[in-house]
Amino acid sequence: METGKRYCQDWISRYVFLCFTALLGLCHTVSITLQLPTDCGFQEFYDRGNLSCAKCANNQKPSHGGFSCVCLSGYKLNSTGSCEKCPENMGVTTDGWSCIKCPSGLHPDGHCLCPTGKILVERERNGSLLLEAECIHCDGTDPALTAPNILGNRCERCHPTVINRSNSCNCSQPNILTGGICYNAAGSLLSRALLTVRYSQLGITLRSEWFAVHLQTSAAACLLYSNQSACQALGNMCVLNMHTISTANADACGLFQYIFTSTAGLGTTRFFSFWRTNLPWLFYGDQPGLALRTLTSAPVPTSFTFKESNEVQNTKLQFLAAVYNIHGDFLEWNTLQGGLLQLCPDTTVRLDAAYDFGTTYQQNCDITVSKMLRDYPEPLFYDVYLTYLGTDGQKHLLPVPVLNLNLQYNEMFVNQGDNVNNWILSRRIFLVDTVSGRENSLTSLPRLLRIAKKITISIRLVPDTYKGIIYPPLMIVEYADVQIQNPESQTVRVSFSIHYEMKQSDSLRHTDVAIGVLGGLAVLWSLLKTASWKRRIGSSFIDLQAVIHFLIFYAGVLGDVFFIVTVGTGFYWLVLFKGQQYVSVLLPLPEDEHNFISYVWCAFALKALQFLHKLSLQLSVDIFFIDWERPKGKTQHSEGKVKSSAAPVSIWRTYFIANEWNEIQTVRKISPTFQVLAVLFFLEIVGFKNLSLMDPSSSLSRNAKDYLAPWSCILRFGVSTALWLAIGCLQMLFFSVFYERYVEDKIRQFVDLCSMGNISVFVLTHKCFGYYIHGRSVHGHADTNMEEMNQNLKREAENMCSQRGLQPNADIQTFQISISTRARTHFDQIHESLTKKRGPSRFLQGTSATSDMNTRAYNTMNKFLTSFIDHAFKEVDYYVKDKMLLERLLGMEFMEPMDKSIFYNDERHSFSNVLFYGNESTLLTFDTLFFCVVDLTSQNFVLAAVLTYIQQE
């Protein structure tokens, strides 16, 4: 019993100790020292099992890879895995397990050495080790025709090219042996082959080890034996040399063209005249105009659409590439989806969005040279085709021509010009070349590399099509030459893009015609406005001032022309491009938008000039507030006597009306704050800005994981102007229909306030033209107490007094006035006394004498204008009439006031033309253009809204 108890206590103690030890282990962080293979010493190897360096045993050294140990030269392995030295004059067998006597000496690595042309034999046919190794001569005569292989351990039949040339295994003169192929190069272009690669961007010509080893061999095998792999390899070297064509050089492309010409009798492949049998298709030919015919002669025999339908279901571009390695071996057919030609990494969804028909695609990134060296140890080559479903239900391939911008034809970069007739189209491309730039060894780091820094696929719509028919796509490739200095930090900017284009000359011509026609009408309208202005200033001469005002008027009207055309253009592209199902139009390219952006800037500059002109007019008008109030008699008691005298008229009513006039100066039909916030809400929150993307989707919401196409300036302008004008017009409609009727109409309230205050407003915007608000009280006076004021209003409401109009039995209180020169002269004489010394004096400023003089001038002007309104002066009288319909439409007066001034009835309260209220269209247009100009410059709706709000305030 005690023994069992003691056993249980011991077991529990051990269990607690183990748990405590494990707990202590969990409480400490375990780490190991980082060691890399490059950290290992001369006698150390890298143990991949424990990720550290370990020392090799005695008589051992690290292997070539550095991940194991091998015996030293002259040492063999024993059964225990250690190394022991072989006796003198004996070598180590090839397998490293035995020692054997050597017949012809030792190799530095400790193995037996045989003379050239012999192979080493160490064992019997049954595997038994010989007492002494033998060097056996390979039989190079007919019929054996054998020679040692590369390893020198067996005899193999000689290459057929050697046998065919000499009926032996010796490639004797005049034949030469290159790359294992024997051929006669005497007098042939092959003997002059250039083994260099030209890097034109850096101005460097480099001897390429790859070209030195493979160029002549591939060319000879292709020319003499029609070896397809060799022909493909030769074509690849031509592609690596940028498809450069020169009639004087025997470079890779020169050899290819020589073979192409020499094998004309072999026929063509698949009925393509440029695709010779056994040769890769590299060129379309160098005939002038051939590129234009290739790109535009035959459309793709299928249709594409933005939205699938029963008739057309092609919503994606299906590209297929035939992939070859650098040795000329065909590897596979591969689709371009998944980023086959896109060097920039991204998600599959965004990479594949490049091939959605109608989506303008742009992808840019910086890639380090070290990554390119790791990912592309050897270049891959691609022949790209567009696949489509034919009428027979079978898939067909359409070759995609390539425009290599680095191609040189007789030392000229013919593909970098805009003349399509000079282009030379090619076929095969590669992405990264890290092989051609290796000078001395194919295993060394290249000195130079080439990378396809810019790949663009251009899709062109056939004109006058309504079924989405396109021409063959064109792939534009531009390569960059990079001199390797620091691979880890050295980067290259690469891009991949797909853009869509169509013939824009018709739309540009229509825009220019619209601007020309409307611009001509603008000249006529500006002449009418200038004639009206001349009549209003009472002048009939054409002078410099008239020319300046004509230009100002023309600037404003021409700004409207540019605005109308640009808004119409933006809305046209927005509705037509986003709404079409059967593709008939494509968006203009960014370089085609320059004219449109110029028109927007012209509209903004011209409207800004018009706005400043209207603001200056608003600040320079002559305004006089006519007080109709007359002094009242009052009775005073002094020392028992009764005296009567006239009570002075209070000036506060005039000050109050003037202050109200000042407040309605900036009253508008829209709320600028609400306008900015509403536009920003619909653009950013609702998502209307997504309609500006250069893709066919009309969805307002986009997934953050999806690809976002670049912005279109035309669509961006169309969306923003449509929203700004729509919200502005809705505000004006609400203001006119509801707010002014049921809430507050500040313009009509001001007219009523003038009648309540017994104050009229006399405004002269021009020398002989202005506006008049008749505020004379029908009660005779307004300077009274509240009780009398209420009684007067009650009498007026019950029609117990006359009407407020200027004429008897009339309610019209506002007039446009065209005053005679004589009346203006009287006005100026009185007004001059107010301004002749130092301009209009402000309240409580100046000397006492100046104040008295201003007071007298004010009373004189008030008396003159009241008398003028009351027809007290026959020589400066006026009459009231209605404007003719044409006068109202043109905004001008046909009759010139000669002896009498003319008061035109104005029920529309057009005196608001000197306020912001009457210039709402100009202000709305200017605000719209200001917002759009800031957005087009910054591509930021929020910034544009903030700056527009600040400008409005």
Side-chain angles (χ1 to χ4, degrees):
M1 191 71 179
E2 290 294 330
T3 303
K5 183 177 180 181
R6 208 164 34 248
Y7 175 78
C8 290
Q9 289 177 349
D10 292 342
W11 185 86
I12 294 174
S13 299
R14 292 176 182 177
Y15 179 77
V16 172
F17 175 76
L18 289 175
C19 292
F20 182 72
T21 303
L23 184 60
L24 286 178
L26 292 175
C27 294
H28 293 280
T29 301
V30 179
S31 63
I32 60 175
T33 303
L34 174 62
Q35 283 189 315
L36 302 177
T38 55
D39 298 331
C40 296
F42 178 72
Q43 287 294 329
E44 292 181 330
F45 74 99
Y46 192 76
D47 189 347
R48 289 171 289 188
N50 55 21
L51 302 178
S52 63
C53 296
K55 189 174 182 180
C56 291
N58 294 331
N59 303 326
Q60 291 185 348
K61 64 179 181 179
S63 64
H64 178 73
F67 294 102
S68 62
C69 291
V70 295
C71 292
L72 295 174
S73 299
Y75 288 77
K76 71 177 185 70
L77 285 169
N78 56 29
S79 59
T80 61
S82 59
C83 299
E84 60 183 45
K85 187 173 179 59
C86 289
E88 293 293 335
N89 299 325
M90 295 187 71
V92 182
T93 57
T94 306
D95 57 16
W97 285 95
S98 303
C99 297
I100 192 171
K101 188 176 181 181
C102 297
S104 303
L106 293 175
H107 195 273
D109 61 2
H111 299 290
C112 293
L113 180 65
C114 283
T116 303
K118 294 184 178 182
I119 63 171
L120 179 66
V121 178
E122 299 173 331
R123 297 183 182 275
E124 299 282 356
R125 301 180 66 178
N126 60 3
S128 301
L129 186 67
L130 296 174
L131 295 178
E132 182 179 0
E134 299 178 358
C135 291
I136 299 177
H137 184 76
C138 292
D139 186 4
T141 60
D142 190 28
L145 297 173
T146 60
N149 64 354
I150 296 177
L151 299 178
N153 57 6
R154 59 180 297 182
C155 294
E156 292 183 347
R157 185 172 176 82
C158 298
H159 197 274
T161 61
V162 180
I163 298 174
N164 293 338
R165 287 288 175 182
S166 61
N167 198 29
S168 67
C169 288
N170 296 321
C171 186
S172 56
Q173 294 291 336
N175 302 311
I176 61 174
L177 183 66
T178 302
I181 297 179
C182 181
Y183 63 94
N184 186 355
S188 172
L189 190 66
L190 299 178
S191 61
R192 296 184 286 112
L194 293 179
L195 308 180
T196 58
V197 178
R198 174 70 177 170
Y199 292 86
S200 302
Q201 296 177 357
L202 301 176
I204 298 176
T205 300
L206 181 75
R207 178 197 175 276
S208 173
E209 181 67 15
W210 179 267
F211 280 57
V213 173
H214 296 93
L215 179 58
Q216 288 181 308
T217 304
S218 300
C222 178
L223 174 64
L224 302 176
Y225 306 103
S226 298
N227 184 283
Q228 290 192 2
S229 295
C231 292
Q232 294 289 344
L234 176 62
N236 291 340
M237 284 183 273
C238 178
V239 176
L240 293 176
N241 218 12
M242 298 291 96
H243 292 89
T244 297
I245 302 175
S246 176
T247 56
N249 295 333
D251 56 5
C253 292
L255 294 175
F256 180 85
Q257 292 283 35
Y258 174 76
I259 297 173
F260 183 87
T261 305
S262 302
T263 57
L266 297 179
T268 59
T269 302
R270 294 180 177 266
F271 306 104
F272 291 107
S273 59
F274 307 109
W275 194 351
R276 190 61 47 82
T277 301
N278 294 329
L279 292 178
W281 182 6
L282 298 186
F283 299 96
Y284 277 84
D286 57 356
Q287 297 89 353
L290 179 60
L292 182 62
R293 295 194 299 271
T294 302
L295 296 175
T296 60
S297 60
V300 178
T302 189
S303 299
F304 294 88
T305 182
F306 291 162
K307 304 171 184 177
E308 291 188 2
S309 63
N310 294 330
E311 299 180 8
V312 182
Q313 296 182 351
N314 293 330
T315 60
K316 282 185 173 293
L317 296 168
Q318 302 289 343
F319 288 103
L320 205 62
V323 186
Y324 297 85
N325 64 13
I326 193 172
H327 302 282
D329 301 322
F330 174 79
L331 300 181
E332 60 179 342
W333 283 102
N334 204 343
T335 177
L336 296 195
Q337 292 185 349
L340 183 66
L341 299 183
Q342 294 159 263
L343 292 173
C344 297
D346 209 335
T347 62
T348 305
V349 174
R350 292 180 180 175
L351 292 174
D352 292 347
Y355 307 105
D356 293 337
F357 185 76
T359 298
T360 299
Y361 186 87
Q362 288 183 357
Q363 185 192 43
N364 305 280
C365 67
D366 293 320
I367 300 180
T368 61
V369 172
S370 60
K371 176 176 173 58
M372 288 184 280
L373 293 174
R374 289 192 304 268
D375 295 348
Y376 296 91
E378 288 186 352
L380 295 177
F381 298 85
Y382 308 93
D383 290 343
V384 182
Y385 299 86
L386 176 68
T387 66
Y388 64 92
L389 196 64
T391 55
D392 54 359
Q394 299 292 324
K395 278 191 175 183
H396 294 262
L397 299 177
L398 182 70
V400 176
V402 175
L403 183 68
N404 185 351
L405 299 183
N406 300 75
L407 183 147
Q408 294 186 63
Y409 182 77
N410 291 331
E411 305 297 328
M412 295 180 61
F413 292 96
V414 293
N415 289 343
Q416 295 183 6
D418 296 330
N419 190 351
V420 183
N421 293 318
N422 293 335
W423 289 356
I424 297 179
L425 301 179
S426 54
R427 281 283 297 134
R428 185 166 293 185
I429 68 169
F430 66 92
L431 296 183
V432 181
D433 173 21
T434 59
V435 172
S436 300
R438 303 178 191 267
E439 289 185 284
N440 301 318
S441 172
L442 294 178
T443 59
S444 63
L445 186 70
R447 177 184 169 191
L448 300 162
L449 64 81
R450 270 201 179 107
I451 181 172
K453 73 171 185 178
K454 186 176 182 180
I455 299 178
T456 302
I457 300 178
S458 175
I459 311 297
R460 188 174 178 85
L461 189 69
V462 176
D464 304 323
T465 178
Y466 301 97
K467 293 290 186 178
I469 300 176
I470 63 174
Y471 287 120
L474 174 65
M475 181 177 292
I476 305 171
V477 184
E478 181 179 1
Y479 292 93
D481 299 337
V482 181
Q483 188 168 6
I484 300 177
Q485 296 173 347
N486 189 349
E488 295 297 332
S489 60
Q490 201 171 357
T491 60
V492 180
R493 184 75 173 177
V494 298
S495 68
F496 180 88
S497 61
I498 296 182
H499 67 247
Y500 297 80
E501 57 181 305
M502 61 175 291
K503 185 180 179 181
Q504 299 290 345
S505 57
D506 291 339
S507 60
L508 294 176
R509 185 176 65 253
H510 295 159
T511 302
D512 294 339
V513 168
I515 291 178
V517 173
L518 295 178
L521 296 177
V523 173
L524 299 178
W525 183 249
S526 301
L527 289 174
L528 286 175
K529 296 186 72 172
T530 305
S532 175
W533 173 80
K534 291 291 290 182
R535 175 156 294 179
R536 289 180 176 183
I537 66 170
S539 173
S540 58
F541 300 102
I542 300 177
D543 51 9
L544 180 61
Q545 189 181 17
V547 174
I548 293 176
H549 275 80
F550 166 76
L551 294 178
I552 293 176
F553 293 141
Y554 183 62
V557 181
L558 189 61
D560 291 330
V561 169
F562 280 115
F563 180 73
I564 292 172
V565 171
T566 51
V567 170
T569 302
F571 194 70
Y572 165 83
W573 285 109
L574 176 64
V575 174
L576 198 60
F577 177 74
K578 292 290 185 177
Q580 63 185 339
Q581 179 176 359
Y582 300 105
V583 182
S584 59
V585 296
L586 294 173
L587 289 174
L589 296 176
E591 52 267 24
D592 295 330
E593 294 178 335
H594 294 325
N595 288 343
F596 177 83
I597 296 176
S598 300
Y599 293 155
V600 174
W601 275 100
C602 289
F604 171 72
L606 295 173
K607 294 304 291 185
L609 179 62
Q610 182 189 26
F611 172 72
L612 293 177
H613 178 249
K614 286 184 175 293
L615 187 61
S616 65
L617 290 179
Q618 185 175 349
L619 296 175
S620 61
V621 296
D622 292 326
I623 306 174
F624 192 85
F625 297 94
I626 306 172
D627 191 353
W628 295 95
E629 196 73 16
R630 294 294 176 260
K632 294 182 180 180
K634 67 177 182 178
T635 303
Q636 293 182 349
H637 298 273
S638 176
E639 298 179 357
K641 297 180 180 180
V642 178
K643 296 181 180 180
S644 61
S645 62
V649 177
S650 173
I651 193 63
W652 290 107
R653 288 176 297 101
T654 304
Y655 285 162
F656 181 71
I657 299 299
N659 182 67
E660 290 300 313
W661 173 268
N662 189 48
E663 289 186 358
I664 66 172
Q665 289 267 354
T666 56
V667 170
R668 295 183 59 177
K669 297 179 182 179
I670 67 172
S671 170
T673 303
F674 177 80
Q675 178 79 12
V676 170
L677 293 178
V679 170
L680 197 59
F681 171 79
F682 281 102
L683 286 174
E684 294 290 341
I685 306 303
V686 178
F688 274 86
K689 69 175 182 180
N690 292 322
L691 296 177
S692 305
L693 297 175
M694 297 179 71
D695 59 29
S697 174
S698 55
S699 174
L700 299 182
S701 61
R702 301 296 175 94
N703 193 329
K705 297 181 180 180
D706 293 340
Y707 168 76
L708 292 181
W711 303 105
S712 166
C713 290
I714 292 181
L715 293 185
R716 203 172 176 93
F717 182 83
V719 171
S720 56
T721 52
L723 277 176
W724 194 280
L725 294 177
I727 295 174
C729 291
L730 287 176
Q731 281 201 81
M732 293 172 63
L733 182 64
F734 171 80
F735 188 83
S736 301
V737 174
F738 179 79
Y739 188 84
E740 286 187 336
R741 289 190 179 185
Y742 302 107
V743 181
E744 184 181 30
D745 186 350
K746 291 187 177 182
I747 302 301
R748 287 175 173 78
Q749 284 180 355
F750 179 77
V751 177
D752 292 337
L753 184 62
C754 290
S755 297
M756 294 284 294
N758 203 13
I759 301 292
S760 294
V761 182
F762 193 82
V763 182
L764 288 180
T765 58
H766 301 76
K767 181 179 179 181
C768 298
F769 181 83
Y771 304 95
Y772 173 66
I773 302 175
H774 186 62
R776 189 172 188 176
S777 175
V778 296
H779 308 291
H781 60 275
D783 196 0
T784 182
N785 56 31
M786 182 179 294
E787 181 180 359
E788 187 175 356
M789 179 69 72
N790 289 333
Q791 290 178 356
N792 291 339
L793 292 176
K794 183 177 180 182
R795 290 175 56 203
E796 192 172 359
E798 295 175 353
N799 291 327
M800 297 177 65
C801 57
S802 61
Q803 296 180 344
R804 293 181 175 181
L806 175 62
Q807 293 181 298
N809 300 321
D811 281 335
I812 300 179
Q813 295 179 259
T814 55
F815 302 88
Q816 295 182 15
I817 58 175
S818 182
I819 64 175
S820 63
T821 305
R822 189 178 303 170
R824 178 69 194 199
T825 302
H826 282 74
F827 180 87
D828 289 341
Q829 289 175 351
I830 302 172
H831 187 260
E832 185 180 0
S833 62
L834 286 170
T835 59
K836 66 180 179 179
K837 288 192 175 182
R838 54 181 177 80
S841 60
R842 300 188 63 185
F843 185 63
L844 294 181
Q845 285 187 359
T847 63
S848 177
T850 303
S851 299
D852 293 341
M853 184 180 63
N854 290 339
T855 302
R856 287 196 301 270
Y858 166 76
N859 292 329
T860 303
M861 180 68 76
N862 191 80
K863 185 176 181 180
F864 167 72
L865 291 178
T866 55
S867 301
F868 172 69
I869 299 299
D870 283 340
H871 301 277
F873 305 115
K874 293 183 179 180
E875 67 276 10
V876 289
D877 201 3
Y878 70 92
Y879 62 94
V880 181
K881 68 183 297 288
D882 290 328
K883 268 192 172 183
M884 294 184 293
L885 176 62
L886 189 58
E887 287 180 311
R888 290 198 298 269
L889 293 177
L890 297 179
M892 62 183 301
E893 300 78 36
F894 295 158
M895 296 183 61
E896 184 175 356
M898 302 300 293
D899 296 330
K900 292 185 177 182
S901 302
I902 307 174
F903 279 41
Y904 295 99
N905 292 318
D906 180 23
E907 297 181 357
R908 299 182 178 180
H909 298 81
S910 59
F911 70 89
S912 62
N913 289 338
V914 297
L915 311 173
F916 276 10
Y917 184 90
N919 296 280
E920 187 59 58
S921 60
T922 302
L923 294 173
L924 182 63
T925 303
F926 178 74
D927 290 343
T928 305
L929 287 171
F930 186 90
F931 178 86
C932 292
V933 164
V934 175
D935 174 66
L936 290 178
T937 304
S938 64
Q939 298 287 295
N940 190 321
F941 285 123
V942 177
L943 178 62
V946 171
L947 294 183
T948 304
Y949 176 77
I950 294 174
Q951 173 268 133
Q952 290 173 335
E953 288 300 314

